[in-house]
């Protein structure tokens, strides 16, 4: 209702007509909510008594109903009329308590609240240690006073409403919400709000989710069934990884495959944030809502282990499988395009699901759904809905390699990294070319987590302390290159470096790049950069730049000449960026940023990148352990 069309008589009459006892008070008789209105002279007299003109919406209310039965809303039972209202006067000494909490630079709303207690007008005449207070010091451009509801038993800050009318409208919505679960509670308002839910459902499937949002928000404020479930889906896909759970759908087996994994992901995130968090409460809650306990525990275990798979059927399911195959090799933009193109084929398992939420719980595909892509998904017609497709969200992976030298908005840049590219070779062959004995590809996983948890040389039988076996993420880079990338090991490029390039090049040209950053603890150890190219099992050319020193071998192409790329007058970042750009231009090398920083890739452990120390060569191995006192 806008201020221009709002009519207190109509509003209060509707409320009175719709009033029935709450479901837990079936024996309560019907009661009159209102009183006869006060005439203008009575309202003027009370204003003279108070020494203040009342705010517009409250004056208009009194002219229609000189008081109101609020029915225990927030502990307020009865609002008095003109004969009852008076200044509050802060009888409990709240002002000094709130003034003590203002601090040196309080916000305006904090100052207003601290001063409210002494100047407020008290409206309630019957309550449970609660007060409805109109504040003449907190006003808007229309002359309305803010209304505060203070629940003395709660220990919380008062609830603020911008006006008396806003408070009454909220109480009316609360009245409806308290009765929304009763099938017998049907009236013109419930029918109108349910029609809004139906309209929002149809709009959402047509991709017009922005129009659906306010309809669902209003229906939810009235407690209408389905409104919260549908609204949560729109909100969740607009912010896909905030880990909001509790979809209230798991009682129906139609939705279990989509919703339970999403809820399990939210529970797994809570556990990660709070070590020692017990899953029993969540598992019990899911079982109480109708899910089989063993199924709940199994899904949670799969989600936590990263082995869960979103696997719907039909044409949409085939697109999901195709997208996953692209994503696990690093082609996340291609994976999203496959999903986006197939979205119109998605079919809802029932009327309470308006989007393929199960995607979010898939460890490979879930990270692809950024907020921008989530909104693109919502804007795409699906499940029989018709409408124009939205403009595509731009791809997330920049071309080439220069991104390695640039900070990312969502992820710290790789300070140190090393990579092997092999031309014309299936990435599944890389473990056989450069892997340690028995190496094989892992399931898709977070490369950072794998590298961080990988055992160190002193923790592995048969591994020498001088060895440097890297845990590498594997994938495809462009049309012809496979890669094995390590961005988390932190090993130093030493004089014992043994390039894996020759072994990798047995089936195609191989390129090795290693960036070793400047050591913050060793001033005499400047940053280093290594490049080597091999083919047919033999190194073609290589160079290593460390500070001002350049070591080179073979016939290096002019475009990759280190003397041209690493200029004394430039800083390290400029030189690194120039080399990375040259590698992309000259050799066509690239790496998928999104997959390496936020995705899930297959990994394996390589052979050592260092050789055994020879006669007269030294080697030191340091291991630091932290012990509690």
């Amino acid at each position: 209702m806008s201020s221009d069309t709002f009519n207190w008589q109509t509003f209060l009459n509707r409320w009175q007509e719709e009033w029935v006892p709450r479901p837990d008070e079936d024996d309560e008789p019907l009661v009159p909510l209102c009183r006869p209105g006060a005439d203008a002279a009575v309202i003027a007299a009370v204003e003279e008594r108070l020494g203040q003109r009342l705010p517009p919406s409250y004056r208009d209310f009194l002219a229609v109903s000189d008081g109101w039965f609020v029915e225990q809303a927030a502990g307020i039972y009865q609002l008095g009329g003109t004969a009852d209202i008076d200044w509050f006067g802060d009888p409990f000494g709240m002002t000094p308590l709130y003034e003590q909490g203002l601090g040196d630079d309080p916000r305006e709303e904090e100052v207003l609240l601290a001063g409210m207690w002494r100047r407020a007008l008290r409206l309630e005449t019957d309550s449970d240690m609660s007060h409805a207070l109109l504040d003449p010091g907190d006003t808007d451009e229309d002359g309305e006073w803010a209304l505060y509801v203070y629940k003395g038993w709660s220990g919380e800050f008062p609830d603020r409403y911008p006006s008396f009318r806003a408070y009454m409208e909220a109480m009316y919505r609360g009245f409806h919400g308290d009765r929304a679960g009763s099938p017998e509670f049907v009236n013109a308002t419930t029918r109108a709000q349910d029609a809004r839910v139906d309209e929002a459902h149809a709009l959402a499937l047509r991709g017009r989710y922005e129009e659906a949002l306010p309809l669902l928000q209003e229906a939810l404020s009235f407690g209408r069934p389905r409104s919260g479930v549908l609204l949560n889906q729109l909100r969740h896909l607009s912010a896909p990884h905030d880990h909001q759970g509790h979809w209230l759908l798991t009682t129906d087996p139609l939705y279990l495959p989509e919703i339970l994994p999403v809820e399990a992901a939210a529970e797994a995130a809570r556990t990660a944030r709070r070590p020692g968090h017990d899953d029993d409460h969540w598992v019990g809650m899911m079982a109480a809502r109708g899910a089989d306990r063993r199924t709940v525990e199994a899904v949670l275990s799969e989600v936590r282990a990263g082995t869960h798979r979103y696997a719907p059927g039909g044409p949409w399911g085939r697109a999901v499988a195709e997208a996953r195959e692209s994503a696990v090799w690093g082609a996340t933009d291609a994976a999203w395009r496959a999903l986006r193109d197939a979205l119109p084929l998605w079919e809802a398992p029932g009327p309470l699901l308006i989007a393929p939420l199960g995607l979010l719980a898939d460890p490979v595909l879930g990270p692809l759904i950024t907020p921008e892509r989530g909104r693109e998904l919502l804007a795409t017609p699906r499940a029989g809905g018709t409408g124009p497709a939205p403009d595509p969200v731009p791809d997330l992976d920049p071309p080439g390699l220069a991104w390695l030298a640039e900070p990312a908005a969502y992820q710290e840049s790789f300070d140190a990294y090393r990579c092997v590219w092999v031309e014309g070779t299936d990435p599944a062959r890389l473990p056989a070319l450069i892997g340690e004995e028995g190496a094989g590809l892992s399931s898709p996983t977070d490369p950072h987590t794998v590298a961080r948890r990988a055992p160190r040389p002193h923790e592995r039988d048969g591994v020498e302390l001088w060895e440097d076996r890297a845990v590498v993420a594997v994938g495809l880079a462009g049309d012809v290159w496979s890669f094995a990338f390590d961005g988390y090991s932190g090993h130093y490029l030493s004089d014992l470096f043994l390039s894996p390039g020759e072994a990798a090049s047995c089936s195609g040209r191989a390129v090795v790049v290693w960036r070793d950053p400047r050591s913050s603890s060793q001033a005499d150890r400047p940053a280093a950069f290594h490049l080597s190219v091999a083919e047919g099992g033999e190194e073609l050319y290589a160079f290593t730049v460390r500070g001002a020193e350049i070591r080179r071998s073979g016939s290096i192409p002019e475009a990759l000449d280190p003397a041209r790329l690493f200029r004394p007058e430039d800083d390290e970042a400029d030189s690194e960026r120039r080399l990375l750009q040259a590698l992309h231009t000259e050799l066509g090398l690239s790496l998928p940023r999104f997959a390496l920083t936020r995705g899930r890739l297959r990994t394996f452990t390589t052979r050592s990148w260092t050789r055994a120390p020879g006669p007269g060569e030294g080697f030191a191995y340091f291991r630091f352990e932290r012990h509690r006192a």
Side-chain angles (χ1 to χ4, degrees), residues 531-589:
L531 167 68
S532 58
V533 178
E535 190 168 10
E538 297 183 1
E539 187 174 273
L540 301 180
Y541 56 87
F543 68 75
T544 301
V545 178
R546 186 180 295 280
E549 178 189 4
I550 299 178
R551 299 179 184 178
R552 56 191 299 161
S553 63
S555 180
I556 301 175
E558 182 181 357
L560 299 176
D561 186 347
R564 186 180 71 85
L565 299 172
F566 293 84
R567 303 166 186 165
E569 65 272 17
D570 292 340
D571 62 23
E572 294 171 3
D574 289 338
S575 298
E576 178 190 3
R577 191 176 297 107
R578 191 180 299 115
L579 173 61
L580 294 173
Q581 290 170 342
L583 289 171
H584 175 57
T585 302
E586 183 73 8
L587 302 177
L589 298 182

Side-chain angles (χ1 to χ4, degrees), residues 258-598:
E258 292 267 358
I259 302 302
L260 182 58
V262 179
E263 298 231 32
E267 173 64 12
R270 283 188 290 271
T271 303
R273 291 193 301 268
R274 297 184 301 215
H277 174 76
D278 190 353
D279 295 325
D280 286 346
H281 173 73
W282 178 81
V283 172
M285 182 175 65
M286 293 295 103
R289 284 163 52 184
D292 177 73
R293 189 180 185 93
R294 286 176 296 181
T295 300
V296 172
E297 292 173 340
V299 170
L300 178 60
S301 177
E302 290 176 356
V303 167
R304 186 167 281 145
T307 58
H308 170 71
R309 295 292 180 269
Y310 175 57
W316 167 245
R318 290 192 290 273
V320 168
E322 176 190 340
R324 182 182 293 106
E325 184 64 17
S326 295
V328 296
W329 296 116
T332 56
D333 284 330
W336 169 246
R337 289 193 294 270
L339 292 173
R340 181 184 64 201
D341 293 345
L343 269 173
L345 303 176
W346 175 75
E347 297 180 355
L352 291 182
L353 202 66
I354 54 176
L357 288 167
L359 277 172
L360 299 177
D362 189 288
V364 173
L365 299 177
L368 273 59
I369 315 301
T370 62
E372 296 78 13
R373 285 172 169 172
R375 291 189 288 272
E376 183 180 8
L377 185 157
L378 291 175
T380 301
R382 57 201 177 276
T386 58
D391 292 334
V393 172
D395 286 350
L396 297 181
D397 276 336
L401 300 169
W403 65 267
L404 285 165
E406 300 168 354
Y410 52 82
Q411 170 81 31
E412 292 184 4
S413 298
F414 292 107
D415 190 33
Y417 55 85
R418 51 186 170 178
C419 187
V420 182
W421 288 266
V422 183
E423 190 175 25
T425 299
D426 190 312
R429 288 202 59 211
L430 296 184
L433 295 175
I434 59 173
E436 66 178 5
E437 184 177 355
L441 292 177
S442 73
S443 59
T445 189
D446 178 357
H448 181 208
T449 301
V450 175
R452 180 164 47 85
R453 296 177 180 172
R456 302 298 182 254
H458 70 277
E459 299 170 333
R460 298 184 61 186
D461 293 336
V463 178
E464 301 292 342
L465 293 180
W466 51 263
E467 290 194 64
D468 172 15
R469 304 191 186 190
V471 176
V472 290
V474 180
L476 288 164
D479 296 330
V480 298
W481 294 98
S482 297
F483 68 83
F485 180 85
D486 169 27
Y488 301 102
S489 67
H491 282 269
Y492 297 137
L493 177 61
S494 72
D495 291 336
L496 302 180
F497 170 58
L498 177 64
S499 173
E502 293 182 9
S505 70
C506 292
S507 59
R509 186 170 49 158
V511 180
V512 176
V513 167
W514 189 339
R515 181 185 188 267
D516 179 5
R518 180 188 300 273
S519 172
S520 59
S521 60
Q522 296 174 273
D524 60 344
R525 187 178 165 276
F529 212 109
H530 170 83
L531 167 68
S532 58
V533 178
E535 190 168 10
E538 297 183 1
E539 187 174 273
L540 301 180
Y541 56 87
F543 68 75
T544 301
V545 178
R546 186 180 295 280
E549 178 189 4
I550 299 178
R551 299 179 184 178
R552 56 191 299 161
S553 63
S555 180
I556 301 175
E558 182 181 357
L560 299 176
D561 186 347
R564 186 180 71 85
L565 299 172
F566 293 84
R567 303 166 186 165
E569 65 272 17
D570 292 340
D571 62 23
E572 294 171 3
D574 289 338
S575 298
E576 178 190 3
R577 191 176 297 107
R578 191 180 299 115
L579 173 61
L580 294 173
Q581 290 170 342
L583 289 171
H584 175 57
T585 302
E586 183 73 8
L587 302 177
L589 298 182
S590 64
L591 283 172
R593 180 177 66 183
F594 191 93
L596 290 170
T597 56
R598 298 175 66 182

Side-chain angles (χ1 to χ4, degrees), residues 250 513 543 609 611:
T250 45
V513 167
F543 68 75
W609 290 56
R611 58 175 174 78

Side-chain angles (χ1 to χ4, degrees), residues 235-248:
R235 288 173 171 170
H236 202 66
L237 281 163
S238 297
H241 303 292
D242 281 355
H243 299 295
Q244 305 292 327
H246 313 304
W247 298 97
L248 305 178

Side-chain angles (χ1 to χ4, degrees), residues 38-62:
D39 61 33
V42 172
I43 295 174
V46 76
E47 290 177 331
E48 183 176 355
R49 172 171 64 84
L50 298 172
Q52 184 103 24
R53 182 176 174 83
L54 296 172
S57 65
Y58 187 51
R59 291 183 95 255
D60 293 345
F61 163 78
L62 290 174

